[in-house]
Amino acid sequence: MRLASRALCGAAGAGWRESFPLGGRDVARWFPGHMAKGLKKMQSSLKLVDCIIEVHDARIPLSGRNPLFQETLGLKPHMLVLNKMDLADLKEQQKIIQHLEGEGLKNVVFTNCVRDENIKQIIPMVRGLVESSYRYHRGESLEYCAMVIGIPNVGKSSLINALRRQHLRKGKATRVGGEPGITRAVMSRIQVCERPLMFLLDTPGVLAPRIESVEMGLKLALCGTVLDHLVGEETLADYLLYTLNRHQLFGYVQHYGLAAACDDIAGVLKQVAVRLGKTQKVKVLTGTGDVNVIQPNYPAAARDFLRTFRSGLLGPVMLDRDVLQRPPLAHP
Ligand SMILES: Nc1nc2c(ncn2[C@@H]2O[C@H](COP(=O)(O)OP(=O)(O)OP(=O)(O)O)[C@@H](O)[C@H]2O)c(=O)[nH]1
């Protein structure tokens, strides 16, 4: 995708786009529907667990969760872990909690699984939920088992590893990766605590079969829940730029040493490519013969822009700011 150049460069604050052009994008193509198998396996393991720990990305606390989780696994006590809190702008944390309460979600914890923040809140909460669950009959069993579910790449495996670090002083039991789809099958039980004796089941990330809007698809993609090339790195970079400018997050200007904030992705990627030395020689056929022209490598610049954002270097962001501005739903 090459975007038409617009004359907005340098006009910081003077004309950020009011909306992102969504027309003509087929969101269904970005999210391959091969995840039903994972959900079936999870359903069949449900009888082994006392509680569901749903992990989601704190940058999109109100959107992008898979509604099928509630339908198929909703019988067990449930807690929501909003992970990657280090990457999320949580100035309106209370409002987020109110919105979630409006949806009937009362047990919410914000975590950072890289720095083990708030990890110690999880096990007591699981224990409390299980013990107060009227459906639960513990009998002679003294152990707890919870299933960790969520859409891809939100940090399910990282949470299990963080719990083991905190409670068992043990290292990795489950593989972690920067790309979605690292955990392929429902795995065996992994011990995370001795007292109380608690096991967790890691599961593969499962996205909703239908993503309700293109904008939600773009937010999910920005959080890395789908492989970037399926959406297009430059489209994603443009949505990122649109978001950063609308939220007045101009860290990218300083990070890349740009002349000014700018709402034109082609202009930004060109400067980023030149800064990073990501340029390529292209042969152009002219009337007098071949001429070598130096061109910015737009896809490489887009990849760097996305990577930098995801590592937190451009500052924390709240991608659900628009949803937060609406009044919370009243839960029946
Ligand atoms: N900044 C930040 N990164 C995190 C955090 N938790 C996990 N990550 C990173 O997010 C990426 C995905 O983590 P995983 O634990 O593999 O996620 P998953 O949900 O198990 O992924 P799938 O197996 O694809 O479903 C990795 O690069 C982790 O290092 C966090 O709290 N903060």
Side-chain angles (χ1 to χ4, degrees), residues 54-58 60-61 63-65 80-83 151 154 220:
E54 181 178 350
V55 185
H56 197 57
D57 193 309
I60 42 170
S63 66
R65 288 171 50 229
L80 181 65
V81 173
L82 290 172
N83 187 39
I151 63 171
V154 289
L220 283 166

Side-chain angles (χ1 to χ4, degrees), residues 250-327:
F250 301 122
Y252 68 93
V253 176
Q254 199 186 3
H255 180 83
Y256 288 112
L258 308 185
C262 175
D263 214 12
D264 169 29
I265 190 64
V268 169
L269 293 182
K270 186 176 181 178
Q271 292 184 68
V272 170
V274 172
R275 283 265 156 202
L276 300 175
K278 292 189 187 294
T279 49
Q280 57 202 6
K281 258 192 211 149
V282 183
K283 241 184 208 141
V284 177
L285 213 67
T286 68
T288 51
D290 289 357
V291 178
N292 281 330
V293 180
I294 304 286
Q295 264 194 2
N297 185 339
Y298 288 95
R303 278 194 291 277
D304 194 273
F305 190 32
L306 290 168
R307 196 173 46 237
T308 305
F309 162 69
R310 288 175 182 146
S311 66
L313 286 170
L314 303 183
V317 70
M318 175 44 58
L319 296 173
D320 273 343
R321 201 176 71 160
D322 51 341
V323 190
L324 264 179
Q325 278 160 1
R326 294 176 212 144

Side-chain angles (χ1 to χ4, degrees), residues 55 57 59 82-87 111-117 119 148-161 174-184 202-206 223-225 310-312:
V55 185
D57 193 309
R59 290 169 292 182
L82 290 172
N83 187 39
K84 307 199 184 186
M85 65 183 281
D86 53 309
L87 303 179
T111 58
N112 171 355
C113 287
V114 174
R115 296 198 177 266
D116 291 357
E117 276 178 85
I119 299 300
V148 181
I149 64 168
I151 63 171
N153 213 29
V154 289
K156 298 177 291 300
S157 304
S158 300
L159 175 69
I160 295 178
N161 292 333
T174 176
R175 236 181 106 202
V176 168
E179 288 196 339
I182 291 289
T183 311
R184 292 267 174 217
D202 198 5
T203 64
V206 183
C223 291
T225 63
R310 288 175 182 146
S311 66

